[in-house]
Amino acid sequence: MKALILVGGYGTRLRPLTLSVPKPLVEFCNKPILLHQVEALVKAGVDHVVLAVSYMSELLEREMRVQEQRLGIRISLSHEKEPLGTAGPLALARELLNIDDEPFFVLNSDVICDFPFKDLLQFHRNHGKEGTIVVTRVEEPSKYGVVVFEADSGRIHRFVEKPQVFVSNKINAGIYIFNPSMLSRIQLRPTSIEKEIFPVMAEEGQLYAMELQGFWMDIGQPKDFLTGMCMYLQSLRQHAPDRLRTGPGFLGNVLVDPTAQIGENCTIGPNVTIGAGVVVEDGVRIKRCTVLKGARVRSHSWLESCIVGWSSSVGQWVRMENVTVLGEDVIVNDELYLNGANVLPHKSINESVPDPRIIM
């Protein structure tokens, strides 16, 4: 089986992290975002993954060669010269996707959930039509485009953009499965799959919805990245609790790489991910944060709702909060306060940042 992942552009929403590393390779809960998806696809029987990319990253290509070997699958990169929207990339990769009559998966690269690929394949085969999209329930449907479908069969009737009166609370989760025949609907030009392709398929009775069980998050920006981390750690608590760190000083769901070092009298958690080679000195308090590979948090600092970039250093008695994001190799000097700061790579911070802003 095949799958296409819409990796897309420069990951501007996740800056400053994506100034150092292509977004698919940014670690989410100690594993590159892309690998969460690829490994779940492989488990469901996919042996060829196509990445639709709009800029060629040698780093991405190199990493994919490594993963091809490790997972024993084929990974191709399909490179668009101009932005092709959400449907155009399928037309560009047509030759790779319609080599047989097997259905193929398509997914947005920012989505994290308990990927239901096996169930999706089964559901899709059962109704026998051209396409299935995964939908997820939201609290405030008026902020989204919603999907209106038959509860018992899953057949989609229509899509409603930001409804002001209640018609549905299910939204497109960015995970699809299609028969190759669907590719004939798409021309090689910038096209929106959601606005131009899906409504026509639905009208013809060729599009079905399967509701996702469990959590779902689009982790394409820092605030949502942290929310998604909390959901993912809770899912680990349910399905693989042995992977979480417990013991004195650890509260709630905490994921710690075995190579990280944590000092005395720290309180870590709830909802913290600590990456490889990270050093946390004595008396540090961390909650609802991701600390990426090789970073150092010096003694008696206090961090809440932050992402600490690779090889960055947070000084002693520092306080950071409110979705502060440090890019790669940032130095925060001792006794500073950072509130919602967004710090570009390789900067040294010598004064407090009392109000949210970008430090370039």
Side-chain angles (χ1 to χ4, degrees):
M1 278 191 77
K2 301 164 295 297
L4 177 81
I5 302 178
L6 299 165
V7 173
Y10 292 97
T12 47
R13 294 189 305 153
L14 202 51
R15 281 180 183 164
L17 301 175
T18 46
L19 294 170
S20 304
V21 167
K23 184 175 60 182
L25 299 184
V26 173
E27 295 95 340
F28 173 82
C29 295
N30 289 348
K31 182 192 291 185
I33 297 173
L34 188 63
L35 284 194
H36 285 279
Q37 300 179 329
V38 172
E39 288 177 6
L41 286 164
V42 170
K43 266 201 187 114
V46 169
D47 54 13
H48 183 190
V49 176
V50 182
L51 306 181
V53 293
S54 62
Y55 77 110
M56 270 320 259
S57 154
E58 285 165 27
L59 203 59
L60 187 59
E61 189 149 25
R62 231 183 6 250
E63 183 58 33
M64 288 310 104
R65 296 298 152 253
V66 173
Q67 297 306 329
E68 268 189 328
Q69 295 294 311
R70 184 177 73 91
L71 297 165
I73 62 167
R74 179 176 167 210
I75 300 176
S76 311
L77 275 73
S78 172
H79 180 210
E80 55 188 66
K81 302 281 191 288
E82 52 162 353
L84 291 172
T86 47
L90 279 75
L92 189 64
R94 183 176 286 137
E95 308 298 293
L96 296 170
L97 297 173
N98 67 3
I99 46 178
D100 53 31
D101 292 335
E102 284 291 293
F104 59 90
F105 295 107
V106 176
L107 53 161
N108 294 344
S109 68
D110 296 346
V111 169
I112 198 81
C113 62
D114 290 324
F115 294 106
F117 295 125
K118 278 185 176 150
D119 294 347
L120 180 56
L121 178 60
Q122 194 56 53
F123 178 88
H124 180 73
R125 288 202 196 284
N126 288 348
H127 69 67
K129 297 292 193 279
E130 229 172 32
T132 308
I133 74 180
V134 176
V135 296
T136 184
R137 196 164 59 97
V138 289
E139 295 304 320
E140 291 184 61
S142 62
K143 295 187 348 197
Y144 302 91
V146 299
V147 185
V148 182
F149 61 96
E150 285 171 16
D152 49 353
S153 70
R155 182 181 162 176
I156 295 176
H157 288 293
R158 59 197 170 105
F159 298 86
V160 183
E161 197 52 45
K162 300 186 176 166
Q164 292 315 299
V165 294
F166 184 89
V167 287
S168 164
N169 60 355
K170 310 294 190 306
I171 66 164
N172 174 353
I175 301 169
Y176 321 121
I177 186 168
F178 300 122
N179 296 344
S181 60
M182 170 272 189
L183 292 166
S184 62
R185 298 174 177 275
I186 305 172
Q187 296 173 343
L188 185 53
R189 57 175 179 81
T191 312
S192 161
I193 201 165
E194 299 85 359
K195 293 192 171 66
E196 297 175 62
I197 309 297
F198 286 169
V200 179
M201 289 176 71
E203 213 167 284
E204 294 175 14
Q206 289 292 333
L207 196 58
Y208 280 65
M210 182 184 96
E211 193 172 344
L212 181 67
Q213 306 306 312
F215 79 101
W216 175 88
M217 197 69 205
D218 175 324
I219 55 171
Q221 49 193 354
K223 172 172 69 71
D224 299 333
F225 185 96
L226 289 170
T227 303
M229 173 195 71
C230 298
M231 293 174 168
Y232 180 84
L233 293 178
Q234 184 54 35
S235 175
L236 278 187
R237 165 74 62 205
Q238 289 161 0
H239 301 123
D242 49 323
R243 288 181 49 198
L244 297 172
R245 184 77 171 263
T246 52
F250 292 96
L251 305 178
N253 301 331
V254 180
L255 185 64
V256 182
D257 185 278
T259 61
Q261 299 170 38
I262 294 179
E264 303 287 309
N265 303 320
C266 292
T267 308
I268 312 289
N271 298 313
V272 172
T273 303
I274 292 180
V278 167
V279 177
V280 176
E281 294 184 4
D282 298 350
V284 167
R285 176 74 180 100
I286 305 181
K287 47 183 167 176
R288 204 173 179 274
C289 290
T290 286
V291 185
L292 293 170
K293 198 196 272 182
R296 186 178 201 103
V297 181
R298 307 199 91 99
S299 52
H300 308 294
S301 282
W302 187 100
L303 280 64
E304 180 174 11
S305 293
C306 300
I307 302 174
V308 179
W310 308 273
S311 309
S312 284
S313 169
V314 176
Q316 301 180 37
W317 298 98
V318 165
R319 180 180 174 117
M320 300 192 339
E321 61 186 343
N322 191 19
V323 198
T324 285
V325 185
L326 308 182
E328 181 188 16
D329 176 41
V330 165
I331 296 170
V332 178
N333 285 301
D334 296 351
E335 299 178 27
L336 297 180
Y337 171 56
L338 272 61
N339 172 23
N342 209 311
V343 187
L344 270 62
H346 316 298
K347 301 296 294 179
S348 179
I349 303 292
N350 304 313
E351 54 185 16
S352 290
V353 182
D355 298 304
R357 64 188 180 96
I358 297 170
I359 312 293
M360 31 207 312

